[in-house]
């Protein structure tokens, strides 16, 4: 088994754990943790692709920087929404937020 | 051979910490476990000779997870998990979705012919220079867009979170 496939399998398992967490948790911050794990798995795959397939093309590393920014944006917006929700309802439990369906 | 061993070790650590995030009922432990997983991912980057990204990942995630732990303590009724509150739902469906997604991704990793694998990469100095040129030349527009996006999201997050005075 090549190192590339090993890294991709690790990324796949991390993505699965993140997806499980994002779907199974009821707390906003825990859901965000699941999403962060999925984005982390994406970054592992991107770095593995860059390292083992195209180490001379630095757009691969640039893509990782974009995903890191997406993580930061997700955290900023998530905590903003969480703070608004906590101020309004005193809780960030998403099962109590059914009215957000519209 | 050595990088492969380190990638496997850091990968196993990332998976173990990732599982721990959703196993413990203590929110603070969850945040610290996620920090462990992200640090292990940073270790994988270092083992894959992407030194800049590895160090960036370690620095960024240490900060982000510490902030996450603080928010956990602020928002949770039981941040220490002493009351053993259950904060999960649709466990079976979520587990099935996680396993199916993992198996699909593993199948793709194993079945695709990835072609020739590169043996060597540039030294860190050359990498940093090349990444800088990439950012300032070909990916300039993307880099600018990303910068503006994060600025806008910060302003939006503050606008959403700020307390509103009731109308008189």
């Amino acid at each position: 088994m090549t190192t590339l496939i090993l890294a991709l399998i690790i990324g796949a398992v991390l993505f699965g754990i993140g997806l499980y967490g994002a779907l199974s948790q009821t707390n906003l911050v825990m859901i965000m943790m699941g999403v962060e794990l999925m984005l982390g798995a994406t970054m592992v795959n991107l770095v593995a692709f860059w390292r083992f397939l195209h180490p001379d093309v630095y757009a691969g590393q640039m893509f990782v920087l974009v995903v890191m920014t997406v993580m930061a944006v997700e955290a900023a917006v998530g905590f903003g929404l969480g703070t608004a929700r906590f101020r309004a309802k005193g809780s960030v439990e998403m099962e109590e937020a059914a009215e957000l369906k519209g | 051979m050595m990088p492969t061993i380190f990638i496997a070790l850091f990968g196993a650590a990332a998976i173990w910490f990732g599982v721990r995030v959703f196993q413990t009922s203590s929110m603070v432990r969850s945040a610290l476990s996620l920090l462990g997983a992200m640090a292990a991912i940073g270790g994988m980057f270092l083992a894959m000779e992407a030194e800049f990204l590895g160090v960036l990942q370690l620095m960024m995630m240490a900060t982000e997870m510490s902030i996450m732990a603080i928010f956990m303590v602020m928002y949770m009724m039981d941040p220490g998990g002493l009351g053993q509150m259950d904060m999960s739902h649709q466990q079976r469906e979520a587990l099935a979705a996680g396993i199916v997604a993992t198996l699909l991704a593993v199948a793709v990793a194993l079945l695709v012919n990835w072609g020739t694998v590169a043996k060597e990469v540039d030294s860190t100095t050359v990498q940093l220079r090349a990444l800088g040129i990439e950012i300032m030349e070909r990916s300039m527009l993307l880099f600018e867009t990303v910068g503006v996006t994060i600025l806008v999201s910060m302003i939006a997050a503050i606008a959403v979170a700020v307390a509103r005075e009731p109308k008189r």
Side-chain angles (χ1 to χ4, degrees):
Chain A
M1 184 166 51
T2 65
T3 315
L4 168 66
I5 293 176
L6 174 70
L8 293 184
I9 290 175
I10 290 167
V13 176
L14 281 173
F15 187 87
I17 297 169
L19 183 63
Y20 161 77
L23 292 178
S24 69
Q25 301 298 309
T26 58
N27 187 279
L28 175 69
V29 188
M30 292 297 286
I31 295 170
M32 281 168 58
M33 285 190 172
V35 177
E36 296 265 336
L37 261 183
M38 286 195 277
L39 289 170
T42 313
M43 288 197 299
V44 169
N45 280 16
L46 287 172
V47 173
F49 286 140
W50 168 80
R51 167 62 184 84
F52 296 108
L53 298 183
H54 298 288
D56 49 338
V57 181
Y58 284 85
Q61 288 208 10
M62 180 64 211
F63 203 169
V64 179
L65 291 178
V66 172
V67 177
M68 274 188 191
T69 316
V70 171
M71 287 174 99
V73 167
E74 175 246 323
V77 174
F79 286 133
L81 289 172
T83 305
R85 181 80 196 158
F86 191 80
R87 282 202 164 132
K89 304 281 178 185
S91 157
V92 286
E93 283 294 310
M94 287 297 103
E95 286 208 324
E96 299 164 11
E99 78 270 13
L100 291 179
K101 282 178 187 166
Chain B
M1 193 61 200
M2 277 306 271
T4 311
I5 296 170
F6 277 112
I7 289 170
L9 282 176
F10 283 124
I15 291 169
W16 187 78
F17 278 119
V19 171
R20 289 293 300 160
V21 171
F22 303 110
Q23 265 188 343
T24 172
S25 53
S26 161
M27 297 296 107
V28 180
R29 280 186 195 157
S30 286
L32 292 178
S33 298
L34 190 61
L35 171 59
M38 291 298 167
I41 289 175
M44 283 182 77
F45 291 176
L46 293 177
M48 286 191 273
E49 296 172 73
E51 278 90 352
F52 173 69
L53 295 177
V55 173
L56 191 65
Q57 166 82 357
L58 288 170
M59 281 167 34
M60 250 189 81
M61 291 307 143
T63 322
E64 194 178 326
M65 296 312 139
S66 314
I67 293 171
M68 215 167 226
I70 293 167
F71 271 89
M72 285 286 205
V73 175
M74 274 162 51
Y75 288 156
M76 300 299 298
M77 285 170 283
D78 180 24
L82 298 175
Q84 297 292 319
M85 265 174 67
D86 182 32
M87 287 184 306
S88 58
H89 61 171
Q90 54 189 20
Q91 284 272 1
R92 201 177 298 165
E93 291 86 346
L95 193 61
I99 290 171
V100 169
T102 305
L103 290 179
L104 281 175
V106 169
V108 170
L110 291 175
L111 297 177
V112 169
N113 175 19
W114 296 107
T116 341
V117 169
K119 296 278 179 227
E120 286 181 0
V121 290
D122 297 328
S123 68
T124 312
T125 326
V126 178
Q127 273 187 44
L128 278 177
R129 187 173 182 279
L131 181 61
I133 290 171
E134 171 74 31
I135 289 172
M136 288 300 155
E137 281 184 355
R138 204 164 70 108
S139 301
M140 183 70 168
L141 189 62
L142 178 62
F143 190 65
E144 293 284 331
T145 314
V146 161
V148 174
T149 306
I150 197 159
L151 176 67
V152 169
S153 67
M154 282 192 296
I155 295 169
I158 294 167
V160 167
V162 78
R164 289 179 184 82
E165 289 292 321
K167 285 181 182 170
R168 289 173 191 164

